[in-house]
Amino acid sequence: DTGVSQDPRHKITKRGQNVTFRCDPISEHNRLYWYRQTLGQGPEFLTYFQNEAQLEKSRLLSDRFSAERPKGSFSTLEIQRTEQGDSAMYLCASSYGGSGNTIYFGEGSWLTVV
Amino acid sequence: AQSVTQLGSHVSVSEGALVLLRCNYSSSVPPYLFWYVQYPNQGLQLLLKYTTGATLVKGINGFEAEFKKSETSFHLTKPSAHMSDAAEYFCASVNSGGYQKVTFGTGTKLQVIP
């Protein structure tokens, strides 16, 4: 069990640039989630995939954000035309099966927009 | 809509003293409840969870929590704090039906004083 893997762990980008984060969930986990966490706050839900289908998107996810999970395995989160307000840690998580099952989190990808 | 409230954004205890971190939930139906711990610059690690059955649940590192439906609470305790317990703790809830959209509290930062 290699856990949920996220890449890159840290990214510094200039305002207006595009960035992409990758998440590799635990093998055979059919559910994948993206969360955003800013300093002093709890993680906030962004989006959820069951297999390859994106079933829910938060209102926090503006048109500049897009997430994909081709083939129901790894997922990418792209932010276009980054803004300083996008600076946060982006957490990926995965789980399998019912709603009482444990959700496993990756170590997060820190984004700093300068 | 469900929500989670953590009382006290910062808690300080002496090493060896009781740890008590408070969490109250709001949900139309009893949710599943979780406590996660986050060390600096890391992702979230599950401490314990309550789904059904025994209302006193034991987790890793000597932590436990009790689900009290009458008080809509799920407080986290540990009899004797260790320096290594210093971290941020998040209470979270999940709808007991449907998919696992996790709602997090704002977190409580635990400081352990030698």
Side-chain angles (χ1 to χ4, degrees):
Chain A
D1 179 1
T2 58
V4 178
S5 177
Q6 293 189 242
D7 182 69
R9 292 291 316 280
H10 297 88
K11 178 73 175 178
I12 300 174
T13 190
K14 292 184 178 180
R15 188 175 51 186
Q17 297 294 304
N18 299 343
V19 296
T20 300
F21 299 110
R22 177 181 169 120
C23 172
D24 287 274
I26 294 173
S27 179
E28 298 185 3
H29 276 191
N30 59 340
R31 298 179 173 186
L32 186 145
Y33 312 79
W34 285 99
Y35 282 79
R36 181 172 69 184
Q37 186 178 20
T38 53
L39 286 175
Q41 298 295 318
E44 297 172 294
F45 172 80
L46 291 179
T47 190
Y48 156 74
F49 290 86
Q50 180 154 318
N51 299 313
E52 66 275 9
Q54 187 175 20
L55 297 187
E56 185 171 344
K57 290 173 58 173
S58 164
R59 284 170 289 180
L60 292 174
L61 222 60
S62 74
D63 292 344
R64 296 183 298 105
F65 288 71
S66 63
E68 294 182 344
R69 193 184 182 196
K71 303 179 183 177
S73 55
F74 72 92
S75 175
T76 58
L77 176 69
E78 182 183 16
I79 309 173
Q80 296 182 325
R81 304 181 304 281
T82 53
E83 302 173 355
Q84 287 189 321
D86 297 331
S87 296
M89 181 162 71
Y90 291 86
L91 288 161
C92 178
S94 71
S95 69
Y96 181 80
S99 53
N101 290 349
T102 299
I103 298 175
Y104 295 89
F105 283 81
E107 299 210 336
S109 292
W110 276 105
L111 174 64
T112 302
V113 181
V114 297
Chain B
Q2 59 182 1
S3 65
V4 174
T5 302
Q6 291 183 241
L7 297 177
S9 58
H10 290 81
V11 170
S12 292
V13 299
S14 298
E15 191 175 14
L18 171 72
V19 175
L20 171 61
L21 304 183
R22 299 177 186 275
C23 173
N24 288 87
Y25 68 89
S26 172
S27 175
S28 55
V29 295
Y32 297 147
L33 295 163
F34 303 78
W35 275 99
Y36 283 87
V37 61
Q38 186 176 38
Y39 296 99
N41 299 318
Q42 293 189 22
L44 288 86
Q45 180 183 8
L46 181 71
L47 279 178
L48 49 80
K49 66 180 182 181
Y50 169 77
T51 54
T52 58
T55 57
L56 180 64
V57 293
K58 296 185 184 298
I60 63 172
N61 301 340
F63 284 94
E64 62 182 39
E66 186 171 10
F67 172 68
K68 292 187 176 180
K69 184 178 177 180
S70 62
E71 299 177 7
T72 62
S73 68
F74 190 59
H75 301 330
L76 182 71
T77 60
K78 181 174 180 178
S80 176
H82 294 164
M83 295 300 296
S84 60
D85 295 328
E88 190 153 20
Y89 293 80
F90 292 94
C91 183
S93 70
V94 173
N95 287 331
S96 56
Y99 75 88
Q100 293 167 285
K101 181 177 177 179
V102 184
T103 300
F104 285 89
T106 52
T108 297
K109 191 164 287 188
L110 176 66
Q111 180 185 23
V112 182
I113 303 167

